[in-house]
Amino acid sequence: MMDTTTLRHCPICLVTNMPAEIQRVRCNVRRFRDRTFLVWRCAVCRSLHCEKVENLAAYYENYPIRNQELDYFLRAWYRVILQRLVQAGLGKQHRILDYGCSNGLLIEYLKQHGYANCFGYDPYVDRRAIASNSL
């Protein structure tokens, strides 16, 4: 049963209120596909959040996307993501943080398309690996 009556504190806009949406989502890693996580959307700034996950490092160990390269198919997907971000108001002058960026391929793609103020952080990836993929 989902806890839909608890106030939640948004670390982005710093407001404590009832979430606009709350849902359980299935893990996208095949070996953990039977596990679900509670995800909620802030009613004020509309950012998405996941409830605290115990031993998150175990989920990222051997994460398949870590070995991915910026190939034709990934560029096509990132093109769709960038179009959506631009439609939502993203400009090349904005600063972008990809938190949980894995090896930084989205950051690399954005920089190749003129978004110079892009930064990536992933607590489960060596920072040198992220920096080597960024331009």
Side-chain angles (χ1 to χ4, degrees), residues 2-44:
M2 277 187 275
D3 178 12
T4 58
T5 60
T6 301
L7 294 173
R8 289 182 168 73
H9 180 73
C10 177
I12 305 298
C13 69
L14 306 177
V15 172
T16 299
N17 62 7
M18 296 299 296
E21 302 173 64
I22 189 165
Q23 193 65 245
R24 282 216 159 270
V25 295
R26 184 175 61 88
C27 184
N28 67 338
V29 177
R30 185 174 290 137
R31 70 182 183 146
F32 299 115
R33 67 178 169 254
D34 59 329
R35 299 189 188 157
T36 61
F37 305 97
L38 189 68
V39 177
W40 60 276
R41 182 182 301 277
C42 176
V44 176

Side-chain angles (χ1 to χ4, degrees), residues 21 28-29 31 40 52 56 61 96 106 111 116 128:
E21 302 173 64
N28 67 338
V29 177
R31 70 182 183 146
W40 60 276
K52 184 169 174 52
L56 193 57
E61 188 176 77
I96 302 165
L106 177 58
K111 285 186 176 186
R128 290 172 295 205

Side-chain angles (χ1 to χ4, degrees), residues 4 17 30 38 45 51 64 67 70 86 107-108 113 122 129:
T4 58
N17 62 7
R30 185 174 290 137
L38 189 68
C45 70
E51 295 295 316
N67 298 323
L70 194 52
V86 168
I107 298 298
E108 179 182 344
H113 287 82
D122 195 315

